[in-house]
Amino acid sequence: MAVVGIDDLAIYVPRLYIDYKDFAEARGIDPQKLEYGIGIKKMAIADTNQDPACMAANACLKLMQKNHLHPQDIGRLYVATESALDESKALNSFVIGMLEQVYGEGTFEHAGGIECKFACVSGSYALHDNANWIRAEENNDKAAIVIVSDIAKYDIGSAGEYTQGAGSVALLIKENPRLMAFDPKVASTVIKNEYDFYRPFGKETPLVNGGYSNLLYLIQVRKAFDAYKEKALKTGLIKLKEGEAITDYIDLFSVHLPYRRMGEKALAYLLRHEWRHLPRWQHVIKEVGMDEPTPKDPRGTIESILADTQFMKADEQFRRGFMQTSFYNEVYERKMASSLEASTVIGNLYTASMYMGLRSLLEFEYKKGTDLTNKRIGFGSYGSGSSAMVFSGLIQPTYKDVVKDMDLDLEIGPRVKLSIEEYERLHRNERGFSDAVTNAQREFVLVKVGGSTADKAGFRQYSYVS
Ligand code: COA
């Protein structure tokens, strides 16, 4: 079977941001809650002339330019997003239109692709569908590009407001990739009809059941991880010895990151699940200093577990204790911490958050001097509504060619801090496209929505500012 995976990736992050201290002061929140409880210092905010389509096109153009790719090299261009601009017209068609302003009209005509939607998990489905397209040799020697692009926008004053952000990641999927090859036959999913987070038609901000969505994320990823484990053992990808956990064979973790702290909690949940039946657990329990609590009804629903307040309180106490142990911290520092750096200074990117995490992991592990060759990354992707996908990949010996030039600060560029008043004006959409805060440079921007006649309603025009 062909070796397929991620050859390279490029990011685009809007340069506007709000600082957590200003935000905390304006909302009367303890800044320590944002810095430590959530794990956010800066939230990227889209300018008036930026939308998920032009951010996606900007990330894609960077990816193509740095790899000297021509449209003829690309057979598929997918965009995964939960910030759709049209009920029918796919977001990738806008991106193609923008790219053809640079590469020439009709240069992508031979290619294909769709917009994918399933909250924050759809990018992972898009990656695997395209990897399989290449494995099936339907690709005529061409590569695929998957772009994940979103603006996370919540109501002013809501608990979700401090988990906002904006940005895109474009991923190049190829045979014999330089960066990471997907482990074959182990990608695993779960799916269930849920209402933890959703955005009904016409509504700009989501309806969120925050606590429920947190727990559902943990449970769904754990279930997908169990399915992954079954496949990894069955295919012989991982062979467990007595007393070992599958997480021992995952060298690095990259998980869905609505905010930094959620990544830390997801790791804690997964390790507890994997370790509690192993001999090492008694040493963990000794260090935590309390037994692990169990719910009144261990086979109950998420609602019944959440309603079991006694258990929830005890479990929170145990989880906090566990996250302080040397056992957790050793794994956290070695396998996850680097993936959370970008989230702290950018915020939530919905579909793009886990892939920005991957980017962060690669850059900061490289800067630490870690040899990543043949290291296995385990991914825990979650989308509300809800579905989770767990998969893994091996970092290739050629990874340094791609990672050595990664520099988050340089790539975001000089950032502009918004006052809370300016941010709120942008949030209420009070400034028009022609009244952008920043001066665009070498990027696509939105210049017009709608035309002079009714048949041009919703018509979006973009321009490349050189
Ligand atoms: N100093 C330090 N930490 C503090 C603090 C303080 N003064 N005050 C509170 N905290 C901590 C809490 O203990 C908690 O930490 P823990 O998770 O380790 O227990 C954390 O800050 C969050 O506070 P909490 O009050 O539990 O939650 P919240 O009401 O602020 O809501 C979300 C947090 C994430 C639920 C909310 O922002 C949200 O709904 N976001 C959108 C949905 C989402 O992202 N879901 C994720 C799954 S996809």
PDB file of all heavy atoms in Angstrom, residues 30 32-33 36-38 154 159-160 162-163 197 208 210-211 213-214 217 256 258-259 261-262 265 316 319-320 348 382 384, ligand 1:
ATOM      1  N   ASP A  30     -11.238  37.286  36.740  1.00  0.00           N
ATOM      2  CA  ASP A  30      -9.866  37.201  37.224  1.00  0.00           C
ATOM      3  C   ASP A  30      -8.968  36.787  36.045  1.00  0.00           C
ATOM      4  O   ASP A  30      -9.197  35.727  35.436  1.00  0.00           O
ATOM      5  CB  ASP A  30      -9.816  36.139  38.351  1.00  0.00           C
ATOM      6  CG  ASP A  30      -8.418  35.992  38.941  1.00  0.00           C
ATOM      7  OD1 ASP A  30      -7.469  36.583  38.403  1.00  0.00           O
ATOM      8  OD2 ASP A  30      -8.291  35.251  39.936  1.00  0.00           O
ATOM      9  N   GLN A  32      -6.233  35.457  35.973  1.00  0.00           N
ATOM     10  CA  GLN A  32      -5.633  34.133  36.224  1.00  0.00           C
ATOM     11  C   GLN A  32      -6.527  33.004  35.714  1.00  0.00           C
ATOM     12  O   GLN A  32      -6.049  31.954  35.339  1.00  0.00           O
ATOM     13  CB  GLN A  32      -5.429  33.951  37.722  1.00  0.00           C
ATOM     14  CG  GLN A  32      -4.524  34.991  38.329  1.00  0.00           C
ATOM     15  CD  GLN A  32      -3.297  34.347  38.932  1.00  0.00           C
ATOM     16  OE1 GLN A  32      -3.379  33.270  39.488  1.00  0.00           O
ATOM     17  NE2 GLN A  32      -2.161  34.988  38.807  1.00  0.00           N
ATOM     18  N   LYS A  33      -7.830  33.250  35.733  1.00  0.00           N
ATOM     19  CA  LYS A  33      -8.750  32.238  35.206  1.00  0.00           C
ATOM     20  C   LYS A  33      -8.480  32.037  33.710  1.00  0.00           C
ATOM     21  O   LYS A  33      -8.448  30.907  33.217  1.00  0.00           O
ATOM     22  CB  LYS A  33     -10.211  32.661  35.424  1.00  0.00           C
ATOM     23  CG  LYS A  33     -11.171  31.761  34.665  1.00  0.00           C
ATOM     24  CD  LYS A  33     -12.600  31.969  34.976  1.00  0.00           C
ATOM     25  CE  LYS A  33     -13.430  31.028  34.109  1.00  0.00           C
ATOM     26  NZ  LYS A  33     -14.817  30.984  34.435  1.00  0.00           N
ATOM     27  N   TYR A  36      -4.628  30.567  33.299  1.00  0.00           N
ATOM     28  CA  TYR A  36      -4.403  29.186  33.761  1.00  0.00           C
ATOM     29  C   TYR A  36      -5.638  28.288  33.608  1.00  0.00           C
ATOM     30  O   TYR A  36      -5.526  27.145  33.188  1.00  0.00           O
ATOM     31  CB  TYR A  36      -3.929  29.179  35.215  1.00  0.00           C
ATOM     32  CG  TYR A  36      -2.667  29.981  35.394  1.00  0.00           C
ATOM     33  CD1 TYR A  36      -2.699  31.215  36.062  1.00  0.00           C
ATOM     34  CD2 TYR A  36      -1.458  29.549  34.853  1.00  0.00           C
ATOM     35  CE1 TYR A  36      -1.540  31.982  36.200  1.00  0.00           C
ATOM     36  CE2 TYR A  36      -0.308  30.307  34.983  1.00  0.00           C
ATOM     37  CZ  TYR A  36      -0.349  31.525  35.655  1.00  0.00           C
ATOM     38  OH  TYR A  36       0.787  32.274  35.771  1.00  0.00           O
ATOM     39  N   GLY A  37      -6.816  28.813  33.957  1.00  0.00           N
ATOM     40  CA  GLY A  37      -8.038  28.006  33.907  1.00  0.00           C
ATOM     41  C   GLY A  37      -8.436  27.653  32.478  1.00  0.00           C
ATOM     42  O   GLY A  37      -8.917  26.549  32.202  1.00  0.00           O
ATOM     43  N   ILE A  38      -8.251  28.611  31.550  1.00  0.00           N
ATOM     44  CA  ILE A  38      -8.572  28.374  30.131  1.00  0.00           C
ATOM     45  C   ILE A  38      -7.278  28.150  29.343  1.00  0.00           C
ATOM     46  O   ILE A  38      -7.201  27.269  28.487  1.00  0.00           O
ATOM     47  CB  ILE A  38      -9.375  29.571  29.546  1.00  0.00           C
ATOM     48  CG1 ILE A  38     -10.710  29.758  30.292  1.00  0.00           C
ATOM     49  CG2 ILE A  38      -9.594  29.437  28.042  1.00  0.00           C
ATOM     50  CD1 ILE A  38     -11.718  28.633  30.116  1.00  0.00           C
ATOM     51  N   TYR A 154     -18.290  33.913  19.506  1.00  0.00           N
ATOM     52  CA  TYR A 154     -19.340  33.633  20.501  1.00  0.00           C
ATOM     53  C   TYR A 154     -19.991  34.945  20.919  1.00  0.00           C
ATOM     54  O   TYR A 154     -19.438  36.031  20.699  1.00  0.00           O
ATOM     55  CB  TYR A 154     -18.732  32.962  21.737  1.00  0.00           C
ATOM     56  CG  TYR A 154     -18.232  31.551  21.507  1.00  0.00           C
ATOM     57  CD1 TYR A 154     -16.979  31.309  20.962  1.00  0.00           C
ATOM     58  CD2 TYR A 154     -19.017  30.458  21.847  1.00  0.00           C
ATOM     59  CE1 TYR A 154     -16.514  30.015  20.771  1.00  0.00           C
ATOM     60  CE2 TYR A 154     -18.560  29.159  21.662  1.00  0.00           C
ATOM     61  CZ  TYR A 154     -17.314  28.950  21.125  1.00  0.00           C
ATOM     62  OH  TYR A 154     -16.854  27.664  20.940  1.00  0.00           O
ATOM     63  N   ALA A 159     -19.835  32.685  28.242  1.00  0.00           N
ATOM     64  CA  ALA A 159     -18.646  31.947  28.714  1.00  0.00           C
ATOM     65  C   ALA A 159     -17.776  31.523  27.532  1.00  0.00           C
ATOM     66  O   ALA A 159     -16.586  31.290  27.685  1.00  0.00           O
ATOM     67  CB  ALA A 159     -19.074  30.721  29.512  1.00  0.00           C
ATOM     68  N   GLY A 160     -18.387  31.423  26.352  1.00  0.00           N
ATOM     69  CA  GLY A 160     -17.606  31.031  25.170  1.00  0.00           C
ATOM     70  C   GLY A 160     -16.745  32.165  24.641  1.00  0.00           C
ATOM     71  O   GLY A 160     -15.829  31.933  23.844  1.00  0.00           O
ATOM     72  N   TYR A 162     -14.389  33.866  25.789  1.00  0.00           N
ATOM     73  CA  TYR A 162     -12.936  33.761  25.972  1.00  0.00           C
ATOM     74  C   TYR A 162     -12.353  32.506  25.336  1.00  0.00           C
ATOM     75  O   TYR A 162     -11.204  32.145  25.602  1.00  0.00           O
ATOM     76  CB  TYR A 162     -12.510  33.892  27.441  1.00  0.00           C
ATOM     77  CG  TYR A 162     -13.440  33.322  28.479  1.00  0.00           C
ATOM     78  CD1 TYR A 162     -13.368  31.968  28.828  1.00  0.00           C
ATOM     79  CD2 TYR A 162     -14.371  34.119  29.124  1.00  0.00           C
ATOM     80  CE1 TYR A 162     -14.204  31.440  29.786  1.00  0.00           C
ATOM     81  CE2 TYR A 162     -15.220  33.593  30.089  1.00  0.00           C
ATOM     82  CZ  TYR A 162     -15.141  32.254  30.419  1.00  0.00           C
ATOM     83  OH  TYR A 162     -15.978  31.733  31.369  1.00  0.00           O
ATOM     84  N   THR A 163     -13.141  31.843  24.481  1.00  0.00           N
ATOM     85  CA  THR A 163     -12.580  30.746  23.680  1.00  0.00           C
ATOM     86  C   THR A 163     -12.761  31.063  22.187  1.00  0.00           C
ATOM     87  O   THR A 163     -13.124  30.209  21.396  1.00  0.00           O
ATOM     88  CB  THR A 163     -13.204  29.377  24.045  1.00  0.00           C
ATOM     89  OG1 THR A 163     -14.614  29.432  23.799  1.00  0.00           O
ATOM     90  CG2 THR A 163     -12.982  29.014  25.493  1.00  0.00           C
ATOM     91  N   PHE A 197     -23.209  21.591  20.983  1.00  0.00           N
ATOM     92  CA  PHE A 197     -22.777  22.863  20.386  1.00  0.00           C
ATOM     93  C   PHE A 197     -23.340  22.844  18.972  1.00  0.00           C
ATOM     94  O   PHE A 197     -23.117  21.897  18.233  1.00  0.00           O
ATOM     95  CB  PHE A 197     -21.239  22.885  20.361  1.00  0.00           C
ATOM     96  CG  PHE A 197     -20.596  23.994  19.592  1.00  0.00           C
ATOM     97  CD1 PHE A 197     -19.873  24.972  20.249  1.00  0.00           C
ATOM     98  CD2 PHE A 197     -20.672  24.049  18.193  1.00  0.00           C
ATOM     99  CE1 PHE A 197     -19.241  25.986  19.543  1.00  0.00           C
ATOM    100  CE2 PHE A 197     -20.056  25.060  17.489  1.00  0.00           C
ATOM    101  CZ  PHE A 197     -19.324  26.032  18.171  1.00  0.00           C
ATOM    102  N   VAL A 208     -24.347  26.857  22.896  1.00  0.00           N
ATOM    103  CA  VAL A 208     -23.373  25.947  23.500  1.00  0.00           C
ATOM    104  C   VAL A 208     -23.803  25.497  24.884  1.00  0.00           C
ATOM    105  O   VAL A 208     -24.215  26.319  25.693  1.00  0.00           O
ATOM    106  CB  VAL A 208     -21.990  26.642  23.698  1.00  0.00           C
ATOM    107  CG1 VAL A 208     -20.914  25.607  23.960  1.00  0.00           C
ATOM    108  CG2 VAL A 208     -21.642  27.530  22.553  1.00  0.00           C
ATOM    109  N   GLY A 210     -21.669  24.315  27.436  1.00  0.00           N
ATOM    110  CA  GLY A 210     -20.220  24.229  27.646  1.00  0.00           C
ATOM    111  C   GLY A 210     -19.761  22.991  28.407  1.00  0.00           C
ATOM    112  O   GLY A 210     -18.938  22.229  27.908  1.00  0.00           O
ATOM    113  N   GLY A 211     -20.303  22.787  29.611  1.00  0.00           N
ATOM    114  CA  GLY A 211     -19.881  21.663  30.450  1.00  0.00           C
ATOM    115  C   GLY A 211     -20.156  20.340  29.762  1.00  0.00           C
ATOM    116  O   GLY A 211     -19.333  19.417  29.779  1.00  0.00           O
ATOM    117  N   SER A 213     -20.430  19.844  26.525  1.00  0.00           N
ATOM    118  CA  SER A 213     -19.547  19.666  25.360  1.00  0.00           C
ATOM    119  C   SER A 213     -18.157  19.205  25.809  1.00  0.00           C
ATOM    120  O   SER A 213     -17.522  18.385  25.143  1.00  0.00           O
ATOM    121  CB  SER A 213     -19.456  20.942  24.520  1.00  0.00           C
ATOM    122  OG  SER A 213     -18.644  21.909  25.141  1.00  0.00           O
ATOM    123  N   ASN A 214     -17.698  19.706  26.941  1.00  0.00           N
ATOM    124  CA  ASN A 214     -16.385  19.275  27.454  1.00  0.00           C
ATOM    125  C   ASN A 214     -16.383  17.778  27.741  1.00  0.00           C
ATOM    126  O   ASN A 214     -15.477  17.045  27.328  1.00  0.00           O
ATOM    127  CB  ASN A 214     -16.058  20.013  28.757  1.00  0.00           C
ATOM    128  CG  ASN A 214     -15.527  21.405  28.505  1.00  0.00           C
ATOM    129  OD1 ASN A 214     -15.248  21.771  27.382  1.00  0.00           O
ATOM    130  ND2 ASN A 214     -15.398  22.175  29.566  1.00  0.00           N
ATOM    131  N   TYR A 217     -16.780  15.627  24.562  1.00  0.00           N
ATOM    132  CA  TYR A 217     -15.498  15.580  23.852  1.00  0.00           C
ATOM    133  C   TYR A 217     -14.627  14.462  24.441  1.00  0.00           C
ATOM    134  O   TYR A 217     -14.114  13.591  23.720  1.00  0.00           O
ATOM    135  CB  TYR A 217     -14.843  16.956  23.957  1.00  0.00           C
ATOM    136  CG  TYR A 217     -13.361  17.081  23.627  1.00  0.00           C
ATOM    137  CD1 TYR A 217     -12.601  16.037  23.124  1.00  0.00           C
ATOM    138  CD2 TYR A 217     -12.700  18.290  23.815  1.00  0.00           C
ATOM    139  CE1 TYR A 217     -11.246  16.184  22.833  1.00  0.00           C
ATOM    140  CE2 TYR A 217     -11.349  18.444  23.525  1.00  0.00           C
ATOM    141  CZ  TYR A 217     -10.637  17.381  23.047  1.00  0.00           C
ATOM    142  OH  TYR A 217      -9.305  17.533  22.759  1.00  0.00           O
ATOM    143  N   HIS A 256      -7.846  17.944  19.691  1.00  0.00           N
ATOM    144  CA  HIS A 256      -8.680  19.122  19.433  1.00  0.00           C
ATOM    145  C   HIS A 256      -8.494  20.136  20.566  1.00  0.00           C
ATOM    146  O   HIS A 256      -8.543  19.775  21.743  1.00  0.00           O
ATOM    147  CB  HIS A 256     -10.149  18.682  19.321  1.00  0.00           C
ATOM    148  CG  HIS A 256     -11.086  19.841  19.216  1.00  0.00           C
ATOM    149  ND1 HIS A 256     -10.866  20.883  18.344  1.00  0.00           N
ATOM    150  CD2 HIS A 256     -12.224  20.141  19.883  1.00  0.00           C
ATOM    151  CE1 HIS A 256     -11.830  21.768  18.481  1.00  0.00           C
ATOM    152  NE2 HIS A 256     -12.668  21.350  19.405  1.00  0.00           N
ATOM    153  N   PRO A 258     -10.119  23.498  21.697  1.00  0.00           N
ATOM    154  CA  PRO A 258     -10.952  24.703  21.786  1.00  0.00           C
ATOM    155  C   PRO A 258     -10.268  25.747  22.671  1.00  0.00           C
ATOM    156  O   PRO A 258     -10.481  26.939  22.508  1.00  0.00           O
ATOM    157  CB  PRO A 258     -12.251  24.197  22.415  1.00  0.00           C
ATOM    158  CG  PRO A 258     -11.919  22.882  23.046  1.00  0.00           C
ATOM    159  CD  PRO A 258     -10.766  22.324  22.270  1.00  0.00           C
ATOM    160  N   TYR A 259      -9.453  25.259  23.596  1.00  0.00           N
ATOM    161  CA  TYR A 259      -8.595  26.117  24.423  1.00  0.00           C
ATOM    162  C   TYR A 259      -7.534  25.208  25.040  1.00  0.00           C
ATOM    163  O   TYR A 259      -7.721  23.987  25.133  1.00  0.00           O
ATOM    164  CB  TYR A 259      -9.396  26.883  25.491  1.00  0.00           C
ATOM    165  CG  TYR A 259     -10.303  26.021  26.327  1.00  0.00           C
ATOM    166  CD1 TYR A 259      -9.918  25.572  27.588  1.00  0.00           C
ATOM    167  CD2 TYR A 259     -11.560  25.622  25.865  1.00  0.00           C
ATOM    168  CE1 TYR A 259     -10.740  24.777  28.363  1.00  0.00           C
ATOM    169  CE2 TYR A 259     -12.395  24.811  26.633  1.00  0.00           C
ATOM    170  CZ  TYR A 259     -11.978  24.392  27.872  1.00  0.00           C
ATOM    171  OH  TYR A 259     -12.790  23.591  28.630  1.00  0.00           O
ATOM    172  N   ARG A 261      -6.310  24.491  28.001  1.00  0.00           N
ATOM    173  CA  ARG A 261      -6.593  23.650  29.160  1.00  0.00           C
ATOM    174  C   ARG A 261      -7.345  22.372  28.769  1.00  0.00           C
ATOM    175  O   ARG A 261      -7.201  21.335  29.405  1.00  0.00           O
ATOM    176  CB  ARG A 261      -7.401  24.479  30.157  1.00  0.00           C
ATOM    177  CG  ARG A 261      -7.699  23.797  31.458  1.00  0.00           C
ATOM    178  CD  ARG A 261      -6.487  23.769  32.359  1.00  0.00           C
ATOM    179  NE  ARG A 261      -6.774  23.216  33.667  1.00  0.00           N
ATOM    180  CZ  ARG A 261      -5.867  22.621  34.435  1.00  0.00           C
ATOM    181  NH1 ARG A 261      -4.623  22.512  34.015  1.00  0.00           N
ATOM    182  NH2 ARG A 261      -6.192  22.165  35.607  1.00  0.00           N
ATOM    183  N   MET A 262      -8.164  22.491  27.702  1.00  0.00           N
ATOM    184  CA  MET A 262      -8.948  21.324  27.277  1.00  0.00           C
ATOM    185  C   MET A 262      -8.025  20.220  26.760  1.00  0.00           C
ATOM    186  O   MET A 262      -8.303  19.036  26.940  1.00  0.00           O
ATOM    187  CB  MET A 262      -9.958  21.758  26.208  1.00  0.00           C
ATOM    188  CG  MET A 262     -11.036  20.762  25.920  1.00  0.00           C
ATOM    189  SD  MET A 262     -12.091  20.429  27.343  1.00  0.00           S
ATOM    190  CE  MET A 262     -12.513  18.723  27.029  1.00  0.00           C
ATOM    191  N   LYS A 265      -6.623  18.516  29.781  1.00  0.00           N
ATOM    192  CA  LYS A 265      -7.639  17.649  30.406  1.00  0.00           C
ATOM    193  C   LYS A 265      -7.879  16.388  29.573  1.00  0.00           C
ATOM    194  O   LYS A 265      -8.117  15.311  30.122  1.00  0.00           O
ATOM    195  CB  LYS A 265      -8.966  18.405  30.516  1.00  0.00           C
ATOM    196  CG  LYS A 265      -9.015  19.418  31.617  1.00  0.00           C
ATOM    197  CD  LYS A 265     -10.437  19.922  31.643  1.00  0.00           C
ATOM    198  CE  LYS A 265     -10.707  21.033  32.558  1.00  0.00           C
ATOM    199  NZ  LYS A 265     -12.098  21.470  32.496  1.00  0.00           N
ATOM    200  N   GLU A 316     -13.592  15.703  39.943  1.00  0.00           N
ATOM    201  CA  GLU A 316     -12.830  16.921  39.647  1.00  0.00           C
ATOM    202  C   GLU A 316     -11.615  17.011  40.577  1.00  0.00           C
ATOM    203  O   GLU A 316     -10.511  17.351  40.147  1.00  0.00           O
ATOM    204  CB  GLU A 316     -13.743  18.128  39.846  1.00  0.00           C
ATOM    205  CG  GLU A 316     -13.275  19.338  39.063  1.00  0.00           C
ATOM    206  CD  GLU A 316     -14.264  20.469  39.188  1.00  0.00           C
ATOM    207  OE1 GLU A 316     -15.411  20.278  38.725  1.00  0.00           O
ATOM    208  OE2 GLU A 316     -13.905  21.505  39.758  1.00  0.00           O
ATOM    209  N   ARG A 319      -9.172  14.429  39.384  1.00  0.00           N
ATOM    210  CA  ARG A 319      -8.536  14.862  38.130  1.00  0.00           C
ATOM    211  C   ARG A 319      -7.460  15.922  38.395  1.00  0.00           C
ATOM    212  O   ARG A 319      -6.353  15.853  37.872  1.00  0.00           O
ATOM    213  CB  ARG A 319      -9.606  15.414  37.179  1.00  0.00           C
ATOM    214  CG  ARG A 319      -9.151  15.572  35.754  1.00  0.00           C
ATOM    215  CD  ARG A 319      -9.070  16.978  35.261  1.00  0.00           C
ATOM    216  NE  ARG A 319     -10.252  17.777  35.506  1.00  0.00           N
ATOM    217  CZ  ARG A 319     -10.191  19.088  35.713  1.00  0.00           C
ATOM    218  NH1 ARG A 319      -9.034  19.710  35.742  1.00  0.00           N
ATOM    219  NH2 ARG A 319     -11.294  19.776  35.912  1.00  0.00           N
ATOM    220  N   ARG A 320      -7.783  16.888  39.241  1.00  0.00           N
ATOM    221  CA  ARG A 320      -6.793  17.912  39.585  1.00  0.00           C
ATOM    222  C   ARG A 320      -5.570  17.282  40.249  1.00  0.00           C
ATOM    223  O   ARG A 320      -4.434  17.630  39.918  1.00  0.00           O
ATOM    224  CB  ARG A 320      -7.394  18.928  40.554  1.00  0.00           C
ATOM    225  CG  ARG A 320      -8.247  19.966  39.869  1.00  0.00           C
ATOM    226  CD  ARG A 320      -8.940  20.813  40.933  1.00  0.00           C
ATOM    227  NE  ARG A 320     -10.203  21.309  40.442  1.00  0.00           N
ATOM    228  CZ  ARG A 320     -10.367  22.476  39.845  1.00  0.00           C
ATOM    229  NH1 ARG A 320      -9.351  23.263  39.706  1.00  0.00           N
ATOM    230  NH2 ARG A 320     -11.553  22.859  39.425  1.00  0.00           N
ATOM    231  N   ASN A 348      -9.137  29.691  19.789  1.00  0.00           N
ATOM    232  CA  ASN A 348      -9.849  28.576  19.165  1.00  0.00           C
ATOM    233  C   ASN A 348      -9.946  28.759  17.655  1.00  0.00           C
ATOM    234  O   ASN A 348     -10.297  29.843  17.176  1.00  0.00           O
ATOM    235  CB  ASN A 348     -11.273  28.499  19.761  1.00  0.00           C
ATOM    236  CG  ASN A 348     -11.983  27.208  19.411  1.00  0.00           C
ATOM    237  OD1 ASN A 348     -11.444  26.350  18.714  1.00  0.00           O
ATOM    238  ND2 ASN A 348     -13.203  27.075  19.897  1.00  0.00           N
ATOM    239  N   TYR A 382     -12.146  16.029  17.579  1.00  0.00           N
ATOM    240  CA  TYR A 382     -13.537  15.999  18.043  1.00  0.00           C
ATOM    241  C   TYR A 382     -14.361  17.091  17.360  1.00  0.00           C
ATOM    242  O   TYR A 382     -13.900  18.216  17.204  1.00  0.00           O
ATOM    243  CB  TYR A 382     -13.609  16.203  19.566  1.00  0.00           C
ATOM    244  CG  TYR A 382     -15.046  16.287  20.038  1.00  0.00           C
ATOM    245  CD1 TYR A 382     -15.868  15.157  19.987  1.00  0.00           C
ATOM    246  CD2 TYR A 382     -15.602  17.494  20.460  1.00  0.00           C
ATOM    247  CE1 TYR A 382     -17.201  15.235  20.356  1.00  0.00           C
ATOM    248  CE2 TYR A 382     -16.936  17.573  20.843  1.00  0.00           C
ATOM    249  CZ  TYR A 382     -17.735  16.441  20.784  1.00  0.00           C
ATOM    250  OH  TYR A 382     -19.055  16.511  21.136  1.00  0.00           O
ATOM    251  N   SER A 384     -18.346  18.686  17.670  1.00  0.00           N
ATOM    252  CA  SER A 384     -19.631  18.664  18.368  1.00  0.00           C
ATOM    253  C   SER A 384     -20.711  18.183  17.419  1.00  0.00           C
ATOM    254  O   SER A 384     -20.595  18.309  16.208  1.00  0.00           O
ATOM    255  CB  SER A 384     -19.974  20.058  18.880  1.00  0.00           C
ATOM    256  OG  SER A 384     -19.084  20.417  19.904  1.00  0.00           O
TER     257      SER A 384
HETATM  258  N1  COA B   1      -7.793  31.312  38.659  1.00  0.00           N
HETATM  259  C1  COA B   1      -7.400  30.200  38.008  1.00  0.00           C
HETATM  260  N2  COA B   1      -8.293  29.315  37.447  1.00  0.00           N
HETATM  261  C2  COA B   1      -9.601  29.600  37.583  1.00  0.00           C
HETATM  262  C3  COA B   1     -10.067  30.736  38.254  1.00  0.00           C
HETATM  263  C4  COA B   1      -9.095  31.619  38.827  1.00  0.00           C
HETATM  264  N3  COA B   1      -9.448  32.723  39.462  1.00  0.00           N
HETATM  265  N4  COA B   1     -11.421  30.739  38.207  1.00  0.00           N
HETATM  266  C5  COA B   1     -11.782  29.638  37.525  1.00  0.00           C
HETATM  267  N5  COA B   1     -10.696  28.946  37.135  1.00  0.00           N
HETATM  268  C6  COA B   1     -10.627  27.697  36.370  1.00  0.00           C
HETATM  269  C7  COA B   1     -11.671  26.683  36.781  1.00  0.00           C
HETATM  270  O1  COA B   1     -11.281  26.010  37.950  1.00  0.00           O
HETATM  271  C8  COA B   1     -11.693  25.788  35.574  1.00  0.00           C
HETATM  272  O2  COA B   1     -10.531  24.959  35.608  1.00  0.00           O
HETATM  273  P1  COA B   1     -10.642  23.355  35.492  1.00  0.00           P
HETATM  274  O3  COA B   1     -11.257  23.117  34.147  1.00  0.00           O
HETATM  275  O4  COA B   1      -9.267  22.852  35.606  1.00  0.00           O
HETATM  276  O5  COA B   1     -11.546  22.921  36.567  1.00  0.00           O
HETATM  277  C9  COA B   1     -11.502  26.764  34.401  1.00  0.00           C
HETATM  278  O6  COA B   1     -10.969  27.955  34.987  1.00  0.00           O
HETATM  279  C10 COA B   1     -12.761  27.061  33.614  1.00  0.00           C
HETATM  280  O7  COA B   1     -13.695  27.638  34.486  1.00  0.00           O
HETATM  281  P2  COA B   1     -15.209  27.127  34.597  1.00  0.00           P
HETATM  282  O8  COA B   1     -15.903  28.084  35.531  1.00  0.00           O
HETATM  283  O9  COA B   1     -15.218  25.676  34.922  1.00  0.00           O
HETATM  284  O10 COA B   1     -15.800  27.212  33.148  1.00  0.00           O
HETATM  285  P3  COA B   1     -16.492  28.445  32.375  1.00  0.00           P
HETATM  286  O11 COA B   1     -17.854  28.676  32.871  1.00  0.00           O
HETATM  287  O12 COA B   1     -15.560  29.593  32.356  1.00  0.00           O
HETATM  288  O13 COA B   1     -16.626  27.823  30.907  1.00  0.00           O
HETATM  289  C11 COA B   1     -16.063  26.716  28.869  1.00  0.00           C
HETATM  290  C12 COA B   1     -15.537  27.268  30.208  1.00  0.00           C
HETATM  291  C13 COA B   1     -14.923  26.122  28.096  1.00  0.00           C
HETATM  292  C14 COA B   1     -17.102  25.642  29.134  1.00  0.00           C
HETATM  293  C15 COA B   1     -16.696  27.897  28.071  1.00  0.00           C
HETATM  294  O14 COA B   1     -15.703  28.823  27.765  1.00  0.00           O
HETATM  295  C16 COA B   1     -17.382  27.446  26.795  1.00  0.00           C
HETATM  296  O15 COA B   1     -18.557  27.117  26.810  1.00  0.00           O
HETATM  297  N6  COA B   1     -16.653  27.458  25.634  1.00  0.00           N
HETATM  298  C17 COA B   1     -17.204  27.084  24.358  1.00  0.00           C
HETATM  299  C18 COA B   1     -17.425  25.593  24.172  1.00  0.00           C
HETATM  300  C19 COA B   1     -16.179  24.791  24.162  1.00  0.00           C
HETATM  301  O16 COA B   1     -15.102  25.292  23.916  1.00  0.00           O
HETATM  302  N7  COA B   1     -16.324  23.488  24.416  1.00  0.00           N
HETATM  303  C20 COA B   1     -15.192  22.579  24.431  1.00  0.00           C
HETATM  304  C21 COA B   1     -15.471  21.233  23.873  1.00  0.00           C
HETATM  305  S1  COA B   1     -15.610  21.238  22.131  1.00  0.00           S
END
